Amino acid sequence: MKLAVFDCDGTLVDGQAPICEAMEAAFASQGLTAPERPTIRRAVGLSLPQAMRALLPGRDEALHHALAEHYKTAFRTARSDGRVSQPLFPGIAQVLHRLVEAGWTLGVATGMSDRGLAHCLADNDIAALFVTLQTADRHPSKPHPAMLEAALFEAGAQAGEAVMIGDTSYDMAMARDAGVRGIGVDWGYHHPHELLASGAETVVESPAALSALLLA
């Protein structure tokens, strides 16, 4: 058994534009100015309530909850209007198919909702490649290890047989706490030095480099 669990946004797909737009709409709904986009992108990977706490610290939970609900509404509206684009990063589809062909089992652990992840994978025609999907709907926010632990259980894999691949320090800390190897990617939202400091054993610079590492 070899299990590769991927983060989604920032690792598999580039969805930063619709995320930032929905976050700006959520803040505007409460009469607030949204943080700058680089700050918003740094919260990608956290569950929505945790992201709101990170973006607007020191405020009450009712406001954080309201922001999260308005974010969901804004994102769903944008999707229904055809304004959400979450394309795969170049080369990612090839990596996924090569891993499956080599006998790897694939999973996803993401701060997205079940619905959001299902749309994203279906839109990119890769849903059938994954045997375990873990989201913020059913688990505490990263870096809590619950998502990875559930992925291991569903795939029938041991921690030593698995790797977590992600673009944020939350992914790497989750991997570390679950006893799973963490591999960082440098095309996402956190800097390589942050990934290494959070427990990544290495950071790859391209999907081709990731494929070469895992299939070596």
Side-chain angles (χ1 to χ4, degrees):
M1 167 64 68
K2 293 180 290 186
L3 172 65
V5 181
F6 290 83
D7 170 57
C8 190
D9 193 39
T11 302
L12 295 177
V13 305
D14 182 3
Q16 61 179 298
I19 287 173
C20 290
E21 289 165 7
M23 194 66 74
E24 289 162 354
F27 272 72
S29 74
Q30 302 300 303
L32 299 170
T33 300
E36 296 295 321
R37 288 196 170 191
T39 302
I40 293 173
R41 288 194 290 267
R42 289 193 56 78
V44 173
L46 297 173
S47 65
L48 273 177
Q50 188 68 19
M52 297 310 178
R53 294 185 195 106
L55 294 172
L56 199 64
R59 303 295 291 269
D60 62 81
E61 286 297 302
L63 177 57
H64 294 150
H65 177 76
L67 286 168
E69 291 304 309
H70 278 283
Y71 175 93
K72 293 177 186 177
T73 298
F75 200 95
R76 289 170 184 164
T77 299
R79 185 183 293 283
S80 67
D81 291 344
R83 293 184 285 110
V84 170
S85 176
Q86 296 171 298
L88 293 172
F89 285 105
I92 284 294
Q94 292 89 331
V95 172
L96 298 177
H97 285 284
R98 286 171 187 160
L99 289 175
V100 171
E101 290 167 3
W104 283 73
T105 299
L106 304 185
V108 176
T110 176
M112 289 180 173
S113 66
D114 286 334
R115 178 187 296 181
L117 178 61
H119 277 295
C120 181
L121 299 182
D123 288 347
N124 286 291
D125 197 26
I126 57 172
L129 299 177
F130 300 96
V131 302
T132 179
L133 302 174
Q134 307 302 326
T135 74
D137 283 348
R138 289 169 283 114
H139 297 291
S141 177
K142 298 174 184 180
H144 193 285
M147 288 188 198
L148 265 183
E149 291 168 347
L152 291 169
F153 178 79
E154 288 190 3
Q158 300 298 314
E161 300 169 324
V163 60
M164 175 69 205
I165 300 148
D167 67 297
T168 70
S169 56
Y170 318 127
D171 297 314
M172 298 302 99
M174 177 176 65
R176 180 194 62 214
D177 291 348
V180 170
R181 293 168 60 204
I183 295 177
V185 303
D186 80 344
W187 54 82
Y189 300 131
H190 287 188
H191 296 295
H193 69 84
E194 296 175 281
L195 303 178
L196 293 168
S198 299
E201 67 174 40
T202 189
V203 178
V204 294
E205 297 180 352
S206 68
L210 175 62
S211 182
L213 176 65
L214 294 178
L215 298 176

